């Protein structure tokens, strides 16, 4: 690797770190609906993560401790959604892909970065909270 390539690599890495750091602090400063609902219910970091300053998300089984529908998973209810531009009634938690971890679509501290799993194949207008 020559000096020019090394300098370009350093610049690229520096820009990446700045972007990651700034987007992380920005995301942490904006609370979303699920964060507020958990806070209003008196739920703390320790309740879900087991420690005060967590570094990673808990296993989805922790979500189920409070959000169990009685079958070891959250099944939700039938609702009307726009699917491929038409109103259709279905349950987004009853996936034909089988049981899906909560954290595939939901996060607590920031808006999900990826579109909802269903939208990998369908066009469903669902706001994930």
């Amino acid at each position: 690797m020559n000096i020019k390539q090394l300098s370009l690599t350093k610049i690229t890495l520096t820009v990446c770190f700045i972007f990651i750091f700034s987007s992380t602090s920005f995301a942490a400063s904006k609370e979303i609906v699920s964060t507020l609902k958990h806070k209003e219910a008196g739920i703390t970091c320790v309740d879900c993560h087991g420690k005060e300053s967590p570094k990673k998300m808990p296993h989805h089984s922790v979500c189920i401790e409070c959000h169990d529908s009685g079958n070891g998973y959250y099944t939700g209810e039938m609702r009307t959604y726009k699917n491929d531009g038409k109103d259709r009634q279905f349950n987004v938690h009853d996936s034909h892909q089988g049981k899906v971890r909560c954290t595939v679509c939901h996060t607590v501290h920031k808006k999900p970065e990826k579109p909802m799993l269903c939208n990998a194949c369908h066009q469903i207008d669902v706001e994930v909270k």
Side-chain angles (χ1 to χ4, degrees), residues 8-128:
L8 184 57
T9 302
K10 284 182 179 180
I11 290 169
T12 303
L13 286 173
T14 302
V15 169
C16 288
F17 284 125
I18 290 169
F19 177 75
I20 290 168
F21 178 75
S22 65
S23 64
T24 302
S25 61
F26 177 73
S29 68
K30 292 181 68 179
E31 292 188 298
I32 61 167
V33 173
S34 54
T35 305
L36 294 173
K37 286 188 181 228
H38 284 96
K39 190 183 287 186
E40 289 169 0
I43 296 170
T44 67
C45 302
V46 175
D47 295 320
C48 297
H49 295 275
K51 55 179 144 179
E52 194 60 46
S53 298
K55 300 292 183 214
K56 61 181 186 175
M57 80 174 87
H59 189 267
H60 77 273
S61 62
V62 174
C63 305
I64 298 307
E65 289 176 16
C66 296
H67 298 281
D68 189 352
S69 293
N71 60 355
Y73 245 77
Y74 178 77
T75 53
E77 68 258 356
M78 297 287 279
R79 292 188 182 168
T80 302
Y81 300 99
K82 290 272 188 209
N83 181 11
D84 297 321
K86 298 176 184 167
D87 283 343
R88 299 186 190 217
Q89 192 168 29
F90 58 94
N91 181 346
V92 294
H93 291 100
D94 185 17
S95 171
H96 60 88
Q97 298 288 324
K99 292 182 178 181
V100 178
R101 289 182 335 274
C102 307
T103 54
V104 169
C105 298
H106 299 278
T107 63
V108 175
H109 301 290
K110 61 183 180 177
K111 290 279 187 191
E113 294 173 10
K114 297 179 182 177
M116 189 173 69
L117 178 65
C118 302
N119 285 328
C121 300
H122 305 280
Q123 288 186 340
I124 301 172
D125 186 20
V126 176
E127 182 178 334
V128 180

